[in-house]
């Protein structure tokens, strides 16, 4: 605040001097005095406080003389050759030889601290080396290793990226980056880092091992099978929603039997409650052998193949359209359905 107060005091001095030397018209004097008072109060500057004035004063210079120097300097820079000279002097230069030498000593000290497992001291040394020579990728990479040794893998990721930014051909930085991501559980990012390093050094054994370990831990995205209900076979092309959609596992088989008319009233001991003397759904589903047979069909894909049978799809469409149940001769004319019927018979007999 003191530098701003010095400027404010210089402005107040300039305005008071303008009132005294007649620069300001008499009609404007009162307004200017009010402005001086408001400016002083706003910035906490009191021209009547001699102690404060002595502390903030820029005398023997004043605001007008300072501004005059600024204008002369500006004009000089605008002259031919002045701008180029200024640009050349303001161009940033790299670290000096002395800075690089000092940075190397700090790096060596950091390496010694790493060997002694003094990771905080190592980080401090590498940080000081970076301050002297921020263009050296090794310093960032070594500090990344120190952070990883402390378990601060997020900081290690940042430093490894900075090392790559400083020198994209520095292979060790990719290994540091991959290791940090791997330690954070981001195996995809780890694998990506190892691959980037292998593009530069395809024979690097450490990068190859890191890539193998990362890829082994990568699991498919959770949304890969979002649209696939468990144990739900894909519906057959051309089959209606009543024939194939949602017919998965035991529920799909039960729905198929119900649509075929096997879910009628409970039959007697012979199971004759369904159409054409075929067993009803309750007796089928309560028969242990039938349940075992159905489970085997689900495991070996029999249910899926059955749902894809064109003859069955046509029968289902016809029944849904009010065409009635197919007779036994029509069922037996299809080899797949005939084989299924024989399995039903075997299952029903074994369950008696």
């Amino acid at each position: 605040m003191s530098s701003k107060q010095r400027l404010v005091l210089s402005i107040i001095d300039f305005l008071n001097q303008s009132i005294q030397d007649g620069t300001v018209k008499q009609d404007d004097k009162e307004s200017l005095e009010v402005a001086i008072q408001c400016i002083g109060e706003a910035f906490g500057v009191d021209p009547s406080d001699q102690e404060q004035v002595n502390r903030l004063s820029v005398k023997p210079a004043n605001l007008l003389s300072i501004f005059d120097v600024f204008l002369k300097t500006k004009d000089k820079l605008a002259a031919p050759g002045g701008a180029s000279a200024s640009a050349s002097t303001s161009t940033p230069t790299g670290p000096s030889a002395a800075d690089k030498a000092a940075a190397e000593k700090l790096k060596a000290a950091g390496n010694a601290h790493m060997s002694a497992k003094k990771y905080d001291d190592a980080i401090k040394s590498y940080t000081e080396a970076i301050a002297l020579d921020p263009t050296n990728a090794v310093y960032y990479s070594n500090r990344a290793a120190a952070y990883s040794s402390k378990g601060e893998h997020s900081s290690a990721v940042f430093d490894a990226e900075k090392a790559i930014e400083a020198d994209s051909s520095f292979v060790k930085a990719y290994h540091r980056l991959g290791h940090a991501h791997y330690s954070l559980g981001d195996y995809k990012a780890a694998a990506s880092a190892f691959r980037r390093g292998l593009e530069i050094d395809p024979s690097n054994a450490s990068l190859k091992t890191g890539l193998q370990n990362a890829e082994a831990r990568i699991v498919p995205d959770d949304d890969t099978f979002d649209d696939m209900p468990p144990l739900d076979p894909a519906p057959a092309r051309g089959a209606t929603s009543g024939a194939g959609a949602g017919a998965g596992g035991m529920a799909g088989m039960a729905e198929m039997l119900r649509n075929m008319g096997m879910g009628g009233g409970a039959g007697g001991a012979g199971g004759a409650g369904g159409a054409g003397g075929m067993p009803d759904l309750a007796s089928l589903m309560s028969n242990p052998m039938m349940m075992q047979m159905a489970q085997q069909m689900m495991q070996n894909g029999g249910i899926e193949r059955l749902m894809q049978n064109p003859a069955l799809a046509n029968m289902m469409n016809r029944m849904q359209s009010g065409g009635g149940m197919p007779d036994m001769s029509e069922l037996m004319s299809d080899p797949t359905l005939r084989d299924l019927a024989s399995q039903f018979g075997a299952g029903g007999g074994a369950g008696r």
Side-chain angles (χ1 to χ4, degrees), residues 12 33-34 91 160 303 317:
I12 292 175
E33 289 176 343
V34 172
T91 301
I303 291 293
N317 290 335

Side-chain angles (χ1 to χ4, degrees), residues 8 12 65 82 90 118 153 177 181 228 248 250 256 275 292 325:
V8 169
I12 292 175
S65 64
S90 63
K118 297 179 179 179
H153 301 294
L177 181 61
H181 279 307
M228 298 177 61
M250 292 300 296
M256 178 195 73
Q292 181 179 359
M325 281 286 297

